[in-house]
Amino acid sequence: MTAFTLDNPAGVPSSATKAFSNVAVIPLGERTLLMLAGQVAWDDDHKIVGGDDLRAQTRRVMDLIGEVLAAHGAGFADVISLRTFLTDISRIREYGEVRAEYFPGLPAPTSTTVQVSSLFLPDALIEVEATAII
């Protein structure tokens, strides 16, 4: 018996080759752990939105995270950890300003942000993984 389920909520782009699921749902008794796959700023056609605008890409990423969370009865207040991958760490302030819009007045989740040389889609500037408990 599997102790978790994998899901790709409707309305959230997923791998065209089904190489990954958007979220692992892990029951923990009275609570549930949600481990979200890294989200990039792509549309339903697997094209990056926002061009070189990191703020626009960050908003799209956060909106996708919000959709995955909502599909499981969660929201940004349930996020306990973020892992962010930027292709240019000097732009971290742009990311941080947008991220703050999604976590207003909340205790900030734990966070790791690193620079990577590239992401799996060449035009992607950012990828964010999230973990939530509901």
Side-chain angles (χ1 to χ4, degrees), residues 29-47:
E30 294 181 12
R31 297 187 183 262
T32 302
L33 179 67
L34 303 175
M35 296 186 69
L36 281 65
Q39 298 295 316
V40 295
W42 60 358
D43 61 18
D44 291 336
D45 296 320
H46 302 104
K47 304 272 193 265

PDB file of all heavy atoms in Angstrom, residues 29-47:
ATOM      1  N   GLY A  29      -1.343  11.448   9.703  1.00  0.00           N
ATOM      2  CA  GLY A  29      -2.365  11.400  10.747  1.00  0.00           C
ATOM      3  C   GLY A  29      -3.373  12.503  10.530  1.00  0.00           C
ATOM      4  O   GLY A  29      -4.065  12.539   9.522  1.00  0.00           O
ATOM      5  N   GLU A  30      -3.436  13.453  11.471  1.00  0.00           N
ATOM      6  CA  GLU A  30      -4.398  14.551  11.367  1.00  0.00           C
ATOM      7  C   GLU A  30      -3.955  15.638  10.393  1.00  0.00           C
ATOM      8  O   GLU A  30      -4.723  16.546  10.097  1.00  0.00           O
ATOM      9  CB  GLU A  30      -4.629  15.160  12.751  1.00  0.00           C
ATOM     10  CG  GLU A  30      -5.319  14.210  13.711  1.00  0.00           C
ATOM     11  CD  GLU A  30      -5.564  14.853  15.061  1.00  0.00           C
ATOM     12  OE1 GLU A  30      -5.419  16.093  15.189  1.00  0.00           O
ATOM     13  OE2 GLU A  30      -5.900  14.107  15.988  1.00  0.00           O
ATOM     14  N   ARG A  31      -2.739  15.591   9.932  1.00  0.00           N
ATOM     15  CA  ARG A  31      -2.206  16.594   9.014  1.00  0.00           C
ATOM     16  C   ARG A  31      -1.793  15.926   7.701  1.00  0.00           C
ATOM     17  O   ARG A  31      -1.677  14.713   7.617  1.00  0.00           O
ATOM     18  CB  ARG A  31      -1.016  17.320   9.631  1.00  0.00           C
ATOM     19  CG  ARG A  31      -1.406  18.096  10.880  1.00  0.00           C
ATOM     20  CD  ARG A  31      -0.249  18.930  11.360  1.00  0.00           C
ATOM     21  NE  ARG A  31      -0.580  19.609  12.582  1.00  0.00           N
ATOM     22  CZ  ARG A  31      -0.990  20.870  12.643  1.00  0.00           C
ATOM     23  NH1 ARG A  31      -1.094  21.582  11.554  1.00  0.00           N
ATOM     24  NH2 ARG A  31      -1.268  21.420  13.804  1.00  0.00           N
ATOM     25  N   THR A  32      -1.529  16.763   6.720  1.00  0.00           N
ATOM     26  CA  THR A  32      -1.069  16.277   5.427  1.00  0.00           C
ATOM     27  C   THR A  32       0.112  17.131   4.988  1.00  0.00           C
ATOM     28  O   THR A  32       0.065  18.364   5.084  1.00  0.00           O
ATOM     29  CB  THR A  32      -2.189  16.369   4.371  1.00  0.00           C
ATOM     30  OG1 THR A  32      -3.308  15.597   4.830  1.00  0.00           O
ATOM     31  CG2 THR A  32      -1.738  15.867   3.022  1.00  0.00           C
ATOM     32  N   LEU A  33       1.152  16.468   4.518  1.00  0.00           N
ATOM     33  CA  LEU A  33       2.332  17.140   3.986  1.00  0.00           C
ATOM     34  C   LEU A  33       2.199  17.226   2.477  1.00  0.00           C
ATOM     35  O   LEU A  33       1.891  16.222   1.816  1.00  0.00           O
ATOM     36  CB  LEU A  33       3.592  16.356   4.362  1.00  0.00           C
ATOM     37  CG  LEU A  33       4.928  16.897   3.869  1.00  0.00           C
ATOM     38  CD1 LEU A  33       5.255  18.216   4.549  1.00  0.00           C
ATOM     39  CD2 LEU A  33       6.037  15.875   4.123  1.00  0.00           C
ATOM     40  N   LEU A  34       2.387  18.422   1.933  1.00  0.00           N
ATOM     41  CA  LEU A  34       2.378  18.636   0.485  1.00  0.00           C
ATOM     42  C   LEU A  34       3.789  19.012   0.059  1.00  0.00           C
ATOM     43  O   LEU A  34       4.337  20.009   0.537  1.00  0.00           O
ATOM     44  CB  LEU A  34       1.420  19.764   0.097  1.00  0.00           C
ATOM     45  CG  LEU A  34      -0.035  19.620   0.517  1.00  0.00           C
ATOM     46  CD1 LEU A  34      -0.820  20.879   0.156  1.00  0.00           C
ATOM     47  CD2 LEU A  34      -0.662  18.398  -0.135  1.00  0.00           C
ATOM     48  N   MET A  35       4.367  18.220  -0.813  1.00  0.00           N
ATOM     49  CA  MET A  35       5.696  18.520  -1.347  1.00  0.00           C
ATOM     50  C   MET A  35       5.530  18.839  -2.827  1.00  0.00           C
ATOM     51  O   MET A  35       5.236  17.955  -3.626  1.00  0.00           O
ATOM     52  CB  MET A  35       6.639  17.342  -1.129  1.00  0.00           C
ATOM     53  CG  MET A  35       6.872  17.056   0.339  1.00  0.00           C
ATOM     54  SD  MET A  35       8.108  15.781   0.617  1.00  0.00           S
ATOM     55  CE  MET A  35       9.571  16.673   0.085  1.00  0.00           C
ATOM     56  N   LEU A  36       5.670  20.126  -3.153  1.00  0.00           N
ATOM     57  CA  LEU A  36       5.454  20.578  -4.518  1.00  0.00           C
ATOM     58  C   LEU A  36       6.729  20.486  -5.338  1.00  0.00           C
ATOM     59  O   LEU A  36       7.808  20.835  -4.852  1.00  0.00           O
ATOM     60  CB  LEU A  36       4.969  22.030  -4.536  1.00  0.00           C
ATOM     61  CG  LEU A  36       3.489  22.267  -4.227  1.00  0.00           C
ATOM     62  CD1 LEU A  36       3.120  21.885  -2.810  1.00  0.00           C
ATOM     63  CD2 LEU A  36       3.122  23.700  -4.518  1.00  0.00           C
ATOM     64  N   ALA A  37       6.576  20.037  -6.561  1.00  0.00           N
ATOM     65  CA  ALA A  37       7.694  20.041  -7.508  1.00  0.00           C
ATOM     66  C   ALA A  37       8.066  21.481  -7.823  1.00  0.00           C
ATOM     67  O   ALA A  37       7.260  22.405  -7.656  1.00  0.00           O
ATOM     68  CB  ALA A  37       7.282  19.321  -8.795  1.00  0.00           C
ATOM     69  N   GLY A  38       9.271  21.673  -8.295  1.00  0.00           N
ATOM     70  CA  GLY A  38       9.686  22.999  -8.720  1.00  0.00           C
ATOM     71  C   GLY A  38       8.779  23.526  -9.821  1.00  0.00           C
ATOM     72  O   GLY A  38       8.457  22.807 -10.761  1.00  0.00           O
ATOM     73  N   GLN A  39       8.357  24.766  -9.667  1.00  0.00           N
ATOM     74  CA  GLN A  39       7.495  25.408 -10.656  1.00  0.00           C
ATOM     75  C   GLN A  39       8.301  26.471 -11.400  1.00  0.00           C
ATOM     76  O   GLN A  39       9.055  27.222 -10.792  1.00  0.00           O
ATOM     77  CB  GLN A  39       6.287  26.059  -9.985  1.00  0.00           C
ATOM     78  CG  GLN A  39       5.379  25.091  -9.250  1.00  0.00           C
ATOM     79  CD  GLN A  39       4.716  24.102 -10.175  1.00  0.00           C
ATOM     80  OE1 GLN A  39       4.228  24.453 -11.251  1.00  0.00           O
ATOM     81  NE2 GLN A  39       4.696  22.839  -9.778  1.00  0.00           N
ATOM     82  N   VAL A  40       8.142  26.495 -12.699  1.00  0.00           N
ATOM     83  CA  VAL A  40       8.721  27.541 -13.528  1.00  0.00           C
ATOM     84  C   VAL A  40       7.587  28.344 -14.142  1.00  0.00           C
ATOM     85  O   VAL A  40       6.430  27.934 -14.094  1.00  0.00           O
ATOM     86  CB  VAL A  40       9.654  26.971 -14.633  1.00  0.00           C
ATOM     87  CG1 VAL A  40      10.868  26.288 -14.029  1.00  0.00           C
ATOM     88  CG2 VAL A  40       8.902  26.037 -15.559  1.00  0.00           C
ATOM     89  N   ALA A  41       7.914  29.472 -14.739  1.00  0.00           N
ATOM     90  CA  ALA A  41       6.900  30.393 -15.263  1.00  0.00           C
ATOM     91  C   ALA A  41       6.436  29.979 -16.653  1.00  0.00           C
ATOM     92  O   ALA A  41       6.577  30.713 -17.616  1.00  0.00           O
ATOM     93  CB  ALA A  41       7.467  31.810 -15.286  1.00  0.00           C
ATOM     94  N   TRP A  42       5.833  28.803 -16.752  1.00  0.00           N
ATOM     95  CA  TRP A  42       5.394  28.341 -18.063  1.00  0.00           C
ATOM     96  C   TRP A  42       3.890  28.361 -18.181  1.00  0.00           C
ATOM     97  O   TRP A  42       3.159  28.381 -17.200  1.00  0.00           O
ATOM     98  CB  TRP A  42       5.971  26.993 -18.399  1.00  0.00           C
ATOM     99  CG  TRP A  42       5.656  25.835 -17.477  1.00  0.00           C
ATOM    100  CD1 TRP A  42       4.932  25.842 -16.318  1.00  0.00           C
ATOM    101  CD2 TRP A  42       6.092  24.498 -17.647  1.00  0.00           C
ATOM    102  NE1 TRP A  42       4.890  24.585 -15.774  1.00  0.00           N
ATOM    103  CE2 TRP A  42       5.605  23.740 -16.571  1.00  0.00           C
ATOM    104  CE3 TRP A  42       6.848  23.849 -18.604  1.00  0.00           C
ATOM    105  CZ2 TRP A  42       5.842  22.373 -16.422  1.00  0.00           C
ATOM    106  CZ3 TRP A  42       7.093  22.492 -18.454  1.00  0.00           C
ATOM    107  CH2 TRP A  42       6.591  21.772 -17.370  1.00  0.00           C
ATOM    108  N   ASP A  43       3.459  28.359 -19.430  1.00  0.00           N
ATOM    109  CA  ASP A  43       2.031  28.332 -19.698  1.00  0.00           C
ATOM    110  C   ASP A  43       1.631  26.910 -20.087  1.00  0.00           C
ATOM    111  O   ASP A  43       2.448  25.987 -20.033  1.00  0.00           O
ATOM    112  CB  ASP A  43       1.652  29.357 -20.785  1.00  0.00           C
ATOM    113  CG  ASP A  43       2.336  29.110 -22.127  1.00  0.00           C
ATOM    114  OD1 ASP A  43       2.852  27.983 -22.373  1.00  0.00           O
ATOM    115  OD2 ASP A  43       2.362  30.044 -22.949  1.00  0.00           O
ATOM    116  N   ASP A  44       0.389  26.749 -20.490  1.00  0.00           N
ATOM    117  CA  ASP A  44      -0.110  25.413 -20.836  1.00  0.00           C
ATOM    118  C   ASP A  44       0.596  24.794 -22.045  1.00  0.00           C
ATOM    119  O   ASP A  44       0.543  23.586 -22.245  1.00  0.00           O
ATOM    120  CB  ASP A  44      -1.620  25.458 -21.096  1.00  0.00           C
ATOM    121  CG  ASP A  44      -2.410  25.731 -19.828  1.00  0.00           C
ATOM    122  OD1 ASP A  44      -1.901  25.439 -18.724  1.00  0.00           O
ATOM    123  OD2 ASP A  44      -3.535  26.242 -19.936  1.00  0.00           O
ATOM    124  N   ASP A  45       1.246  25.628 -22.848  1.00  0.00           N
ATOM    125  CA  ASP A  45       1.980  25.137 -24.016  1.00  0.00           C
ATOM    126  C   ASP A  45       3.464  24.941 -23.725  1.00  0.00           C
ATOM    127  O   ASP A  45       4.261  24.800 -24.658  1.00  0.00           O
ATOM    128  CB  ASP A  45       1.802  26.107 -25.192  1.00  0.00           C
ATOM    129  CG  ASP A  45       0.355  26.192 -25.659  1.00  0.00           C
ATOM    130  OD1 ASP A  45      -0.320  25.139 -25.701  1.00  0.00           O
ATOM    131  OD2 ASP A  45      -0.105  27.309 -25.963  1.00  0.00           O
ATOM    132  N   HIS A  46       3.822  24.982 -22.447  1.00  0.00           N
ATOM    133  CA  HIS A  46       5.205  24.794 -22.000  1.00  0.00           C
ATOM    134  C   HIS A  46       6.150  25.871 -22.517  1.00  0.00           C
ATOM    135  O   HIS A  46       7.321  25.623 -22.752  1.00  0.00           O
ATOM    136  CB  HIS A  46       5.709  23.384 -22.353  1.00  0.00           C
ATOM    137  CG  HIS A  46       4.846  22.329 -21.734  1.00  0.00           C
ATOM    138  ND1 HIS A  46       3.929  21.616 -22.476  1.00  0.00           N
ATOM    139  CD2 HIS A  46       4.725  21.900 -20.465  1.00  0.00           C
ATOM    140  CE1 HIS A  46       3.283  20.781 -21.680  1.00  0.00           C
ATOM    141  NE2 HIS A  46       3.746  20.938 -20.451  1.00  0.00           N
ATOM    142  N   LYS A  47       5.616  27.089 -22.669  1.00  0.00           N
ATOM    143  CA  LYS A  47       6.412  28.248 -23.057  1.00  0.00           C
ATOM    144  C   LYS A  47       6.556  29.159 -21.837  1.00  0.00           C
ATOM    145  O   LYS A  47       5.590  29.373 -21.098  1.00  0.00           O
ATOM    146  CB  LYS A  47       5.724  29.037 -24.178  1.00  0.00           C
ATOM    147  CG  LYS A  47       5.416  28.209 -25.414  1.00  0.00           C
ATOM    148  CD  LYS A  47       6.576  28.196 -26.363  1.00  0.00           C
ATOM    149  CE  LYS A  47       6.184  27.648 -27.708  1.00  0.00           C
ATOM    150  NZ  LYS A  47       6.440  26.254 -27.912  1.00  0.00           N
TER     151      LYS A  47
END
